[in-house]
Amino acid sequence: MTKSVTGGNVTPLPDPTSDDAVIRHALKILEARSRSPEWYVQGADDVKHYLRVRLAAEHGRECLFALYLDVAYGVIEGEVLQHGSLDPEAFQPRAVIQQALACNAAAVLLAHNQPPSGEAWSRADQQLVSRLAGALAPVGVRLLDYFLVGEALGIYSFSEHGRV
């Protein structure tokens, strides 16, 4: 068995023949980094790399994921807000607002992994982005970006396309 050094700790690497084991190991590394003040988001590409691995762990289950950032864009924490199809009209921004305030976040990044036939974006996605940005603004938290992640579309950034 080979060993990996992460943050000064020696941890055994998973059996390389198991894709799920490799993904779980990568997630542990990413989550450990995201809890340390050493991981600061430098741009959309940083988030895209993280989301590729993080949302792969959902095994194709549709979900809405949030990353909470401090004023220097250091990652405070990430969490799955909802599993299953996302109905923008039924989704309550309250959970995002409560968690952003609880962890003293200055900004939020959101991601929604799409089913394989998912579009680049829809009016429903745009409605959700507008609702969340409008709900977060009065409490001093910025919605920096909303990412759609899917096999067919790759990772689509609303901010890069002027939609946030």
Short mmCIF file of all heavy atoms in Angstrom, two decimals, residues 17-86:
data_model
loop_
_atom_site.label_atom_id
_atom_site.label_comp_id
_atom_site.label_asym_id
_atom_site.label_seq_id
_atom_site.Cartn_x
_atom_site.Cartn_y
_atom_site.Cartn_z
N THR A 17 -7.93 0.42 -7.87
CA THR A 17 -8.85 -0.24 -8.79
C THR A 17 -10.29 0.18 -8.56
O THR A 17 -11.16 -0.11 -9.36
CB THR A 17 -8.74 -1.77 -8.67
OG1 THR A 17 -9.08 -2.14 -7.33
CG2 THR A 17 -7.34 -2.24 -9.00
N SER A 18 -10.55 0.87 -7.49
CA SER A 18 -11.91 1.28 -7.17
C SER A 18 -12.08 2.77 -7.43
O SER A 18 -11.54 3.61 -6.70
CB SER A 18 -12.21 0.97 -5.70
OG SER A 18 -13.40 1.61 -5.30
N ASP A 19 -12.86 3.12 -8.46
CA ASP A 19 -13.12 4.53 -8.77
C ASP A 19 -13.77 5.24 -7.60
O ASP A 19 -13.41 6.37 -7.27
CB ASP A 19 -14.03 4.65 -9.99
CG ASP A 19 -13.34 4.27 -11.29
OD1 ASP A 19 -12.09 4.19 -11.30
OD2 ASP A 19 -14.05 4.07 -12.28
N ASP A 20 -14.72 4.57 -6.95
CA ASP A 20 -15.41 5.20 -5.83
C ASP A 20 -14.44 5.49 -4.69
O ASP A 20 -14.52 6.52 -4.04
CB ASP A 20 -16.56 4.33 -5.32
CG ASP A 20 -17.75 4.34 -6.27
OD1 ASP A 20 -17.82 5.25 -7.12
OD2 ASP A 20 -18.60 3.44 -6.16
N ALA A 21 -13.50 4.58 -4.45
CA ALA A 21 -12.52 4.80 -3.39
C ALA A 21 -11.63 5.99 -3.71
O ALA A 21 -11.30 6.79 -2.83
CB ALA A 21 -11.67 3.54 -3.18
N VAL A 22 -11.25 6.12 -4.96
CA VAL A 22 -10.41 7.25 -5.38
C VAL A 22 -11.17 8.56 -5.22
O VAL A 22 -10.64 9.55 -4.70
CB VAL A 22 -9.91 7.06 -6.83
CG1 VAL A 22 -9.22 8.31 -7.34
CG2 VAL A 22 -8.99 5.85 -6.92
N ILE A 23 -12.44 8.57 -5.61
CA ILE A 23 -13.26 9.78 -5.47
C ILE A 23 -13.43 10.13 -4.00
O ILE A 23 -13.29 11.30 -3.61
CB ILE A 23 -14.64 9.60 -6.16
CG1 ILE A 23 -14.46 9.57 -7.69
CG2 ILE A 23 -15.61 10.70 -5.75
CD1 ILE A 23 -15.70 9.18 -8.45
N ARG A 24 -13.70 9.14 -3.15
CA ARG A 24 -13.85 9.41 -1.71
C ARG A 24 -12.55 9.98 -1.13
O ARG A 24 -12.58 10.92 -0.34
CB ARG A 24 -14.27 8.16 -0.96
CG ARG A 24 -15.74 7.82 -1.08
CD ARG A 24 -16.16 6.74 -0.10
NE ARG A 24 -15.41 5.50 -0.27
CZ ARG A 24 -15.74 4.53 -1.13
NH1 ARG A 24 -16.80 4.67 -1.90
NH2 ARG A 24 -15.01 3.44 -1.20
N HIS A 25 -11.42 9.43 -1.55
CA HIS A 25 -10.13 9.92 -1.07
C HIS A 25 -9.90 11.37 -1.53
O HIS A 25 -9.46 12.22 -0.75
CB HIS A 25 -9.00 9.02 -1.54
CG HIS A 25 -7.67 9.39 -0.98
ND1 HIS A 25 -7.34 9.21 0.35
CD2 HIS A 25 -6.58 9.95 -1.55
CE1 HIS A 25 -6.12 9.64 0.56
NE2 HIS A 25 -5.63 10.10 -0.57
N ALA A 26 -10.19 11.65 -2.80
CA ALA A 26 -10.03 13.00 -3.32
C ALA A 26 -10.94 13.98 -2.58
O ALA A 26 -10.54 15.10 -2.27
CB ALA A 26 -10.33 13.04 -4.82
N LEU A 27 -12.15 13.54 -2.26
CA LEU A 27 -13.07 14.40 -1.51
C LEU A 27 -12.54 14.71 -0.12
O LEU A 27 -12.65 15.84 0.35
CB LEU A 27 -14.45 13.74 -1.39
CG LEU A 27 -15.38 13.97 -2.55
CD1 LEU A 27 -16.64 13.14 -2.38
CD2 LEU A 27 -15.72 15.43 -2.71
N LYS A 28 -11.96 13.72 0.53
CA LYS A 28 -11.39 13.96 1.87
C LYS A 28 -10.29 15.01 1.80
O LYS A 28 -10.20 15.90 2.64
CB LYS A 28 -10.84 12.66 2.46
CG LYS A 28 -11.90 11.73 2.94
CD LYS A 28 -11.30 10.45 3.50
CE LYS A 28 -12.40 9.48 3.89
NZ LYS A 28 -11.86 8.21 4.36
N ILE A 29 -9.46 14.92 0.78
CA ILE A 29 -8.39 15.90 0.61
C ILE A 29 -8.97 17.29 0.35
O ILE A 29 -8.59 18.28 0.98
CB ILE A 29 -7.43 15.49 -0.52
CG1 ILE A 29 -6.65 14.23 -0.13
CG2 ILE A 29 -6.47 16.64 -0.87
CD1 ILE A 29 -5.89 13.59 -1.28
N LEU A 30 -9.94 17.37 -0.59
CA LEU A 30 -10.56 18.66 -0.92
C LEU A 30 -11.29 19.25 0.28
O LEU A 30 -11.21 20.45 0.54
CB LEU A 30 -11.52 18.51 -2.09
CG LEU A 30 -10.88 18.32 -3.45
CD1 LEU A 30 -11.93 17.93 -4.48
CD2 LEU A 30 -10.15 19.57 -3.88
N GLU A 31 -12.01 18.42 1.01
CA GLU A 31 -12.74 18.93 2.17
C GLU A 31 -11.79 19.39 3.26
O GLU A 31 -12.05 20.40 3.92
CB GLU A 31 -13.72 17.88 2.67
CG GLU A 31 -14.90 17.73 1.72
CD GLU A 31 -15.80 16.55 2.01
OE1 GLU A 31 -15.48 15.73 2.91
OE2 GLU A 31 -16.82 16.43 1.31
N ALA A 32 -10.68 18.69 3.46
CA ALA A 32 -9.68 19.14 4.45
C ALA A 32 -9.10 20.48 4.03
O ALA A 32 -8.92 21.37 4.86
CB ALA A 32 -8.57 18.09 4.58
N ARG A 33 -8.82 20.63 2.75
CA ARG A 33 -8.29 21.91 2.27
C ARG A 33 -9.33 23.02 2.40
O ARG A 33 -8.99 24.16 2.69
CB ARG A 33 -7.87 21.80 0.80
CG ARG A 33 -6.59 21.05 0.61
CD ARG A 33 -6.21 21.03 -0.85
NE ARG A 33 -5.01 20.27 -1.04
CZ ARG A 33 -4.49 20.00 -2.22
NH1 ARG A 33 -5.08 20.42 -3.31
NH2 ARG A 33 -3.40 19.29 -2.30
N SER A 34 -10.59 22.68 2.17
CA SER A 34 -11.62 23.72 2.21
C SER A 34 -11.87 24.21 3.62
O SER A 34 -12.39 25.28 3.83
CB SER A 34 -12.92 23.22 1.57
OG SER A 34 -13.56 22.28 2.39
N ARG A 35 -11.50 23.41 4.63
CA ARG A 35 -11.67 23.84 6.02
C ARG A 35 -10.47 24.63 6.52
O ARG A 35 -10.50 25.19 7.60
CB ARG A 35 -11.91 22.62 6.91
CG ARG A 35 -13.30 22.06 6.76
CD ARG A 35 -13.57 21.03 7.82
NE ARG A 35 -12.71 19.86 7.71
CZ ARG A 35 -12.99 18.79 6.99
NH1 ARG A 35 -14.10 18.74 6.31
NH2 ARG A 35 -12.16 17.77 6.94
N SER A 36 -9.41 24.63 5.75
CA SER A 36 -8.22 25.35 6.19
C SER A 36 -8.18 26.73 5.53
O SER A 36 -8.75 26.92 4.47
CB SER A 36 -6.95 24.57 5.81
OG SER A 36 -6.70 24.69 4.43
N PRO A 37 -7.52 27.67 6.17
CA PRO A 37 -7.44 29.00 5.58
C PRO A 37 -6.51 29.06 4.38
O PRO A 37 -6.27 30.10 3.83
CB PRO A 37 -6.91 29.86 6.74
CG PRO A 37 -6.20 28.90 7.62
CD PRO A 37 -6.90 27.59 7.47
N GLU A 38 -6.01 27.89 3.96
CA GLU A 38 -5.08 27.85 2.84
C GLU A 38 -5.79 27.81 1.49
O GLU A 38 -5.15 27.97 0.46
CB GLU A 38 -4.16 26.65 2.97
CG GLU A 38 -3.29 26.72 4.20
CD GLU A 38 -2.53 25.45 4.45
OE1 GLU A 38 -2.57 24.54 3.61
OE2 GLU A 38 -1.89 25.36 5.51
N TRP A 39 -7.10 27.52 1.46
CA TRP A 39 -7.78 27.43 0.17
C TRP A 39 -8.61 28.69 -0.06
O TRP A 39 -9.61 28.91 0.60
CB TRP A 39 -8.66 26.19 0.08
CG TRP A 39 -9.19 26.00 -1.31
CD1 TRP A 39 -8.49 26.14 -2.48
CD2 TRP A 39 -10.51 25.65 -1.70
NE1 TRP A 39 -9.31 25.89 -3.55
CE2 TRP A 39 -10.55 25.59 -3.10
CE3 TRP A 39 -11.67 25.38 -0.99
CZ2 TRP A 39 -11.69 25.26 -3.82
CZ3 TRP A 39 -12.81 25.06 -1.70
CH2 TRP A 39 -12.82 25.00 -3.10
N TYR A 40 -8.13 29.50 -0.95
CA TYR A 40 -8.83 30.72 -1.35
C TYR A 40 -9.19 30.60 -2.81
O TYR A 40 -8.37 30.19 -3.63
CB TYR A 40 -7.94 31.95 -1.13
CG TYR A 40 -7.69 32.23 0.33
CD1 TYR A 40 -6.62 31.64 0.99
CD2 TYR A 40 -8.55 33.04 1.06
CE1 TYR A 40 -6.40 31.87 2.34
CE2 TYR A 40 -8.34 33.27 2.40
CZ TYR A 40 -7.26 32.68 3.04
OH TYR A 40 -7.07 32.91 4.36
N VAL A 41 -10.42 30.95 -3.12
CA VAL A 41 -10.87 30.88 -4.50
C VAL A 41 -10.22 32.02 -5.28
O VAL A 41 -10.38 33.19 -4.94
CB VAL A 41 -12.42 30.99 -4.57
CG1 VAL A 41 -12.89 31.08 -6.00
CG2 VAL A 41 -13.05 29.79 -3.85
N GLN A 42 -9.46 31.65 -6.30
CA GLN A 42 -8.79 32.64 -7.14
C GLN A 42 -9.60 32.99 -8.38
O GLN A 42 -9.35 33.99 -9.01
CB GLN A 42 -7.41 32.10 -7.58
CG GLN A 42 -6.49 31.78 -6.42
CD GLN A 42 -6.11 33.00 -5.62
OE1 GLN A 42 -5.79 34.03 -6.17
NE2 GLN A 42 -6.17 32.89 -4.31
N GLY A 43 -10.54 32.14 -8.73
CA GLY A 43 -11.37 32.39 -9.90
C GLY A 43 -12.29 31.22 -10.16
O GLY A 43 -12.30 30.22 -9.43
N ALA A 44 -13.05 31.34 -11.23
CA ALA A 44 -14.04 30.31 -11.56
C ALA A 44 -13.40 28.96 -11.82
O ALA A 44 -13.98 27.92 -11.50
CB ALA A 44 -14.86 30.76 -12.77
N ASP A 45 -12.20 28.94 -12.38
CA ASP A 45 -11.54 27.66 -12.66
C ASP A 45 -11.27 26.86 -11.40
O ASP A 45 -11.40 25.63 -11.39
CB ASP A 45 -10.25 27.86 -13.46
CG ASP A 45 -10.51 28.20 -14.91
OD1 ASP A 45 -11.64 27.96 -15.40
OD2 ASP A 45 -9.58 28.72 -15.57
N ASP A 46 -10.88 27.53 -10.31
CA ASP A 46 -10.68 26.83 -9.03
C ASP A 46 -11.96 26.12 -8.60
O ASP A 46 -11.93 24.96 -8.18
CB ASP A 46 -10.31 27.82 -7.92
CG ASP A 46 -8.89 28.31 -7.99
OD1 ASP A 46 -8.12 27.80 -8.83
OD2 ASP A 46 -8.55 29.20 -7.19
N VAL A 47 -13.06 26.82 -8.71
CA VAL A 47 -14.35 26.25 -8.29
C VAL A 47 -14.75 25.12 -9.24
O VAL A 47 -15.23 24.07 -8.79
CB VAL A 47 -15.44 27.34 -8.24
CG1 VAL A 47 -16.78 26.74 -7.82
CG2 VAL A 47 -15.03 28.45 -7.28
N LYS A 48 -14.53 25.29 -10.52
CA LYS A 48 -14.89 24.25 -11.49
C LYS A 48 -14.13 22.96 -11.21
O LYS A 48 -14.72 21.87 -11.25
CB LYS A 48 -14.60 24.73 -12.91
CG LYS A 48 -15.59 25.78 -13.38
CD LYS A 48 -15.21 26.27 -14.77
CE LYS A 48 -16.12 27.37 -15.24
NZ LYS A 48 -15.76 27.86 -16.58
N HIS A 49 -12.85 23.05 -10.90
CA HIS A 49 -12.07 21.85 -10.59
C HIS A 49 -12.63 21.16 -9.35
O HIS A 49 -12.76 19.94 -9.31
CB HIS A 49 -10.59 22.19 -10.38
CG HIS A 49 -9.89 22.65 -11.62
ND1 HIS A 49 -9.86 21.92 -12.79
CD2 HIS A 49 -9.20 23.78 -11.87
CE1 HIS A 49 -9.19 22.57 -13.71
NE2 HIS A 49 -8.78 23.71 -13.17
N TYR A 50 -12.95 21.94 -8.33
CA TYR A 50 -13.51 21.39 -7.10
C TYR A 50 -14.86 20.73 -7.39
O TYR A 50 -15.12 19.61 -6.94
CB TYR A 50 -13.67 22.50 -6.06
CG TYR A 50 -14.37 22.04 -4.80
CD1 TYR A 50 -13.66 21.39 -3.80
CD2 TYR A 50 -15.73 22.25 -4.62
CE1 TYR A 50 -14.29 20.96 -2.64
CE2 TYR A 50 -16.37 21.82 -3.48
CZ TYR A 50 -15.65 21.18 -2.49
OH TYR A 50 -16.30 20.74 -1.36
N LEU A 51 -15.72 21.41 -8.14
CA LEU A 51 -17.06 20.89 -8.40
C LEU A 51 -17.04 19.59 -9.21
O LEU A 51 -17.88 18.73 -9.01
CB LEU A 51 -17.91 21.93 -9.11
CG LEU A 51 -18.30 23.15 -8.28
CD1 LEU A 51 -19.01 24.18 -9.14
CD2 LEU A 51 -19.13 22.76 -7.07
N ARG A 52 -16.09 19.47 -10.13
CA ARG A 52 -15.99 18.23 -10.92
C ARG A 52 -15.87 17.03 -9.99
O ARG A 52 -16.52 16.01 -10.20
CB ARG A 52 -14.78 18.28 -11.85
CG ARG A 52 -15.05 18.91 -13.15
CD ARG A 52 -13.88 18.73 -14.13
NE ARG A 52 -14.11 19.58 -15.26
CZ ARG A 52 -13.66 20.83 -15.37
NH1 ARG A 52 -12.92 21.35 -14.43
NH2 ARG A 52 -13.95 21.55 -16.42
N VAL A 53 -15.03 17.15 -8.98
CA VAL A 53 -14.82 16.04 -8.06
C VAL A 53 -15.97 15.96 -7.05
O VAL A 53 -16.52 14.89 -6.81
CB VAL A 53 -13.47 16.19 -7.32
CG1 VAL A 53 -13.30 15.11 -6.27
CG2 VAL A 53 -12.33 16.15 -8.31
N ARG A 54 -16.33 17.09 -6.46
CA ARG A 54 -17.34 17.08 -5.39
C ARG A 54 -18.68 16.56 -5.87
O ARG A 54 -19.33 15.75 -5.22
CB ARG A 54 -17.49 18.48 -4.80
CG ARG A 54 -18.56 18.61 -3.73
CD ARG A 54 -18.26 17.67 -2.57
NE ARG A 54 -19.30 17.64 -1.59
CZ ARG A 54 -20.38 16.85 -1.63
NH1 ARG A 54 -20.58 16.04 -2.64
NH2 ARG A 54 -21.26 16.86 -0.66
N LEU A 55 -19.12 17.02 -7.03
CA LEU A 55 -20.43 16.60 -7.52
C LEU A 55 -20.40 15.21 -8.16
O LEU A 55 -21.43 14.56 -8.27
CB LEU A 55 -21.02 17.65 -8.45
CG LEU A 55 -21.33 18.98 -7.75
CD1 LEU A 55 -21.92 19.99 -8.72
CD2 LEU A 55 -22.23 18.81 -6.54
N ALA A 56 -19.21 14.73 -8.55
CA ALA A 56 -19.09 13.35 -9.03
C ALA A 56 -19.44 12.39 -7.90
O ALA A 56 -19.96 11.29 -8.15
CB ALA A 56 -17.68 13.09 -9.54
N ALA A 57 -19.20 12.79 -6.67
CA ALA A 57 -19.50 11.95 -5.52
C ALA A 57 -21.00 11.76 -5.32
O ALA A 57 -21.42 10.90 -4.55
CB ALA A 57 -18.88 12.55 -4.26
N GLU A 58 -21.81 12.54 -5.99
CA GLU A 58 -23.27 12.42 -5.87
C GLU A 58 -23.81 11.29 -6.75
O GLU A 58 -25.00 11.02 -6.74
CB GLU A 58 -23.96 13.75 -6.21
CG GLU A 58 -23.63 14.87 -5.25
CD GLU A 58 -24.04 14.57 -3.82
OE1 GLU A 58 -25.10 13.98 -3.60
OE2 GLU A 58 -23.26 14.92 -2.91
N HIS A 59 -22.94 10.65 -7.54
CA HIS A 59 -23.31 9.50 -8.38
C HIS A 59 -24.52 9.78 -9.26
O HIS A 59 -25.44 8.98 -9.35
CB HIS A 59 -23.57 8.26 -7.52
CG HIS A 59 -22.38 7.83 -6.74
ND1 HIS A 59 -21.28 7.24 -7.32
CD2 HIS A 59 -22.09 7.94 -5.42
CE1 HIS A 59 -20.38 6.98 -6.40
NE2 HIS A 59 -20.83 7.41 -5.23
N GLY A 60 -24.53 10.93 -9.88
CA GLY A 60 -25.60 11.26 -10.81
C GLY A 60 -26.87 11.77 -10.18
O GLY A 60 -27.80 12.14 -10.88
N ARG A 61 -26.92 11.81 -8.84
CA ARG A 61 -28.12 12.37 -8.18
C ARG A 61 -28.07 13.88 -8.33
O ARG A 61 -27.06 14.52 -8.03
CB ARG A 61 -28.15 12.03 -6.69
CG ARG A 61 -28.39 10.60 -6.39
CD ARG A 61 -28.57 10.37 -4.92
NE ARG A 61 -27.49 10.98 -4.16
CZ ARG A 61 -27.48 11.10 -2.84
NH1 ARG A 61 -28.48 10.68 -2.14
NH2 ARG A 61 -26.45 11.66 -2.23
N GLU A 62 -29.16 14.44 -8.76
CA GLU A 62 -29.26 15.88 -8.91
C GLU A 62 -29.23 16.53 -7.53
O GLU A 62 -29.84 16.03 -6.58
CB GLU A 62 -30.58 16.22 -9.62
CG GLU A 62 -30.56 17.52 -10.33
CD GLU A 62 -31.81 17.71 -11.19
OE1 GLU A 62 -32.47 16.73 -11.56
OE2 GLU A 62 -32.11 18.87 -11.48
N CYS A 63 -28.50 17.63 -7.40
CA CYS A 63 -28.44 18.33 -6.12
C CYS A 63 -28.10 19.80 -6.33
O CYS A 63 -27.62 20.21 -7.39
CB CYS A 63 -27.44 17.68 -5.17
SG CYS A 63 -25.72 17.94 -5.59
N LEU A 64 -28.37 20.58 -5.30
CA LEU A 64 -27.95 21.98 -5.24
C LEU A 64 -26.90 22.05 -4.15
O LEU A 64 -27.12 21.61 -3.02
CB LEU A 64 -29.14 22.89 -4.90
CG LEU A 64 -28.82 24.38 -4.79
CD1 LEU A 64 -28.37 24.94 -6.15
CD2 LEU A 64 -30.03 25.16 -4.29
N PHE A 65 -25.72 22.59 -4.49
CA PHE A 65 -24.57 22.62 -3.59
C PHE A 65 -24.15 24.07 -3.37
O PHE A 65 -24.21 24.88 -4.28
CB PHE A 65 -23.41 21.83 -4.23
CG PHE A 65 -22.18 21.76 -3.38
CD1 PHE A 65 -22.10 20.87 -2.33
CD2 PHE A 65 -21.10 22.59 -3.63
CE1 PHE A 65 -20.96 20.79 -1.54
CE2 PHE A 65 -19.96 22.53 -2.85
CZ PHE A 65 -19.89 21.62 -1.80
N ALA A 66 -23.73 24.40 -2.15
CA ALA A 66 -23.30 25.76 -1.81
C ALA A 66 -21.90 25.75 -1.22
O ALA A 66 -21.56 24.87 -0.43
CB ALA A 66 -24.27 26.38 -0.81
N LEU A 67 -21.10 26.74 -1.62
CA LEU A 67 -19.80 27.01 -1.00
C LEU A 67 -19.90 28.38 -0.36
O LEU A 67 -20.28 29.36 -1.03
CB LEU A 67 -18.69 27.05 -2.05
CG LEU A 67 -17.96 25.78 -2.40
CD1 LEU A 67 -16.94 26.05 -3.50
CD2 LEU A 67 -17.29 25.16 -1.21
N TYR A 68 -19.57 28.47 0.93
CA TYR A 68 -19.63 29.73 1.66
C TYR A 68 -18.22 30.28 1.79
O TYR A 68 -17.30 29.56 2.18
CB TYR A 68 -20.26 29.51 3.04
CG TYR A 68 -21.67 28.96 2.93
CD1 TYR A 68 -21.91 27.59 3.02
CD2 TYR A 68 -22.74 29.81 2.72
CE1 TYR A 68 -23.19 27.09 2.90
CE2 TYR A 68 -24.03 29.31 2.60
CZ TYR A 68 -24.25 27.95 2.69
OH TYR A 68 -25.52 27.46 2.57
N LEU A 69 -18.04 31.57 1.46
CA LEU A 69 -16.72 32.19 1.43
C LEU A 69 -16.63 33.37 2.39
O LEU A 69 -17.62 34.07 2.62
CB LEU A 69 -16.42 32.71 0.02
CG LEU A 69 -16.62 31.73 -1.14
CD1 LEU A 69 -16.42 32.44 -2.47
CD2 LEU A 69 -15.70 30.54 -1.02
N ASP A 70 -15.40 33.60 2.91
CA ASP A 70 -15.18 34.78 3.75
C ASP A 70 -14.87 35.99 2.86
O ASP A 70 -14.94 35.90 1.64
CB ASP A 70 -14.09 34.52 4.79
CG ASP A 70 -12.72 34.24 4.20
OD1 ASP A 70 -12.45 34.62 3.02
OD2 ASP A 70 -11.88 33.66 4.90
N VAL A 71 -14.53 37.10 3.46
CA VAL A 71 -14.31 38.33 2.69
C VAL A 71 -13.13 38.24 1.73
O VAL A 71 -13.07 38.96 0.74
CB VAL A 71 -14.16 39.58 3.59
CG1 VAL A 71 -15.45 39.88 4.33
CG2 VAL A 71 -13.01 39.43 4.55
N ALA A 72 -12.16 37.36 2.04
CA ALA A 72 -10.99 37.19 1.16
C ALA A 72 -11.21 36.02 0.20
O ALA A 72 -10.28 35.58 -0.45
CB ALA A 72 -9.74 36.94 2.00
N TYR A 73 -12.44 35.51 0.11
CA TYR A 73 -12.82 34.37 -0.73
C TYR A 73 -12.17 33.08 -0.28
O TYR A 73 -11.95 32.17 -1.06
CB TYR A 73 -12.59 34.63 -2.22
CG TYR A 73 -13.39 35.78 -2.77
CD1 TYR A 73 -12.93 36.54 -3.83
CD2 TYR A 73 -14.62 36.12 -2.23
CE1 TYR A 73 -13.65 37.60 -4.34
CE2 TYR A 73 -15.36 37.18 -2.73
CZ TYR A 73 -14.87 37.91 -3.78
OH TYR A 73 -15.60 38.96 -4.27
N GLY A 74 -11.86 33.00 1.02
CA GLY A 74 -11.43 31.74 1.61
C GLY A 74 -12.66 30.90 1.83
O GLY A 74 -13.71 31.39 2.24
N VAL A 75 -12.55 29.61 1.54
CA VAL A 75 -13.71 28.73 1.68
C VAL A 75 -13.92 28.40 3.14
O VAL A 75 -13.02 27.89 3.81
CB VAL A 75 -13.52 27.45 0.85
CG1 VAL A 75 -14.69 26.49 1.06
CG2 VAL A 75 -13.37 27.79 -0.63
N ILE A 76 -15.10 28.72 3.64
CA ILE A 76 -15.47 28.42 5.02
C ILE A 76 -16.02 27.00 5.10
O ILE A 76 -15.61 26.21 5.93
CB ILE A 76 -16.51 29.43 5.56
CG1 ILE A 76 -15.94 30.85 5.52
CG2 ILE A 76 -16.96 29.04 6.96
CD1 ILE A 76 -16.97 31.93 5.76
N GLU A 77 -16.99 26.70 4.23
CA GLU A 77 -17.56 25.36 4.19
C GLU A 77 -18.40 25.18 2.94
O GLU A 77 -18.76 26.14 2.28
CB GLU A 77 -18.37 25.04 5.45
CG GLU A 77 -19.76 25.59 5.49
CD GLU A 77 -20.50 25.14 6.74
OE1 GLU A 77 -20.11 25.54 7.84
OE2 GLU A 77 -21.47 24.38 6.60
N GLY A 78 -18.70 23.92 2.65
CA GLY A 78 -19.56 23.57 1.53
C GLY A 78 -20.60 22.58 2.00
O GLY A 78 -20.35 21.81 2.92
N GLU A 79 -21.78 22.63 1.38
CA GLU A 79 -22.84 21.70 1.78
C GLU A 79 -23.83 21.48 0.65
O GLU A 79 -24.04 22.35 -0.19
CB GLU A 79 -23.59 22.20 3.01
CG GLU A 79 -24.45 23.42 2.75
CD GLU A 79 -25.30 23.83 3.95
OE1 GLU A 79 -25.56 22.99 4.82
OE2 GLU A 79 -25.70 25.00 4.00
N VAL A 80 -24.42 20.30 0.64
CA VAL A 80 -25.53 20.00 -0.27
C VAL A 80 -26.78 20.57 0.38
O VAL A 80 -27.10 20.24 1.52
CB VAL A 80 -25.68 18.49 -0.53
CG1 VAL A 80 -26.94 18.21 -1.34
CG2 VAL A 80 -24.46 17.94 -1.25
N LEU A 81 -27.46 21.46 -0.34
CA LEU A 81 -28.67 22.08 0.19
C LEU A 81 -29.92 21.25 -0.08
O LEU A 81 -30.88 21.28 0.69
CB LEU A 81 -28.86 23.46 -0.43
CG LEU A 81 -27.79 24.48 -0.12
CD1 LEU A 81 -27.94 25.71 -1.01
CD2 LEU A 81 -27.85 24.88 1.35
N GLN A 82 -29.91 20.55 -1.21
CA GLN A 82 -31.10 19.80 -1.60
C GLN A 82 -30.72 18.72 -2.59
O GLN A 82 -29.87 18.94 -3.46
CB GLN A 82 -32.11 20.76 -2.25
CG GLN A 82 -33.35 20.12 -2.78
CD GLN A 82 -34.31 21.13 -3.38
OE1 GLN A 82 -34.41 22.25 -2.93
NE2 GLN A 82 -35.01 20.72 -4.42
N HIS A 83 -31.32 17.55 -2.46
CA HIS A 83 -31.18 16.48 -3.43
C HIS A 83 -32.46 16.40 -4.26
O HIS A 83 -33.53 16.72 -3.75
CB HIS A 83 -30.94 15.13 -2.76
CG HIS A 83 -29.53 14.93 -2.36
ND1 HIS A 83 -29.11 15.04 -1.06
CD2 HIS A 83 -28.42 14.64 -3.08
CE1 HIS A 83 -27.81 14.82 -0.99
NE2 HIS A 83 -27.37 14.58 -2.20
N GLY A 84 -32.34 15.95 -5.49
CA GLY A 84 -33.49 15.78 -6.35
C GLY A 84 -33.69 16.97 -7.27
O GLY A 84 -32.93 17.93 -7.23
N SER A 85 -34.70 16.89 -8.10
CA SER A 85 -34.99 17.96 -9.05
C SER A 85 -35.22 19.27 -8.32
O SER A 85 -35.82 19.30 -7.24
CB SER A 85 -36.23 17.62 -9.88
OG SER A 85 -35.96 16.52 -10.68
N LEU A 86 -34.77 20.32 -8.92
CA LEU A 86 -34.84 21.63 -8.30
C LEU A 86 -35.99 22.43 -8.89
O LEU A 86 -36.00 22.71 -10.09
CB LEU A 86 -33.51 22.36 -8.53
CG LEU A 86 -33.28 23.65 -7.80
CD1 LEU A 86 -33.36 23.44 -6.28
CD2 LEU A 86 -31.91 24.19 -8.15
#
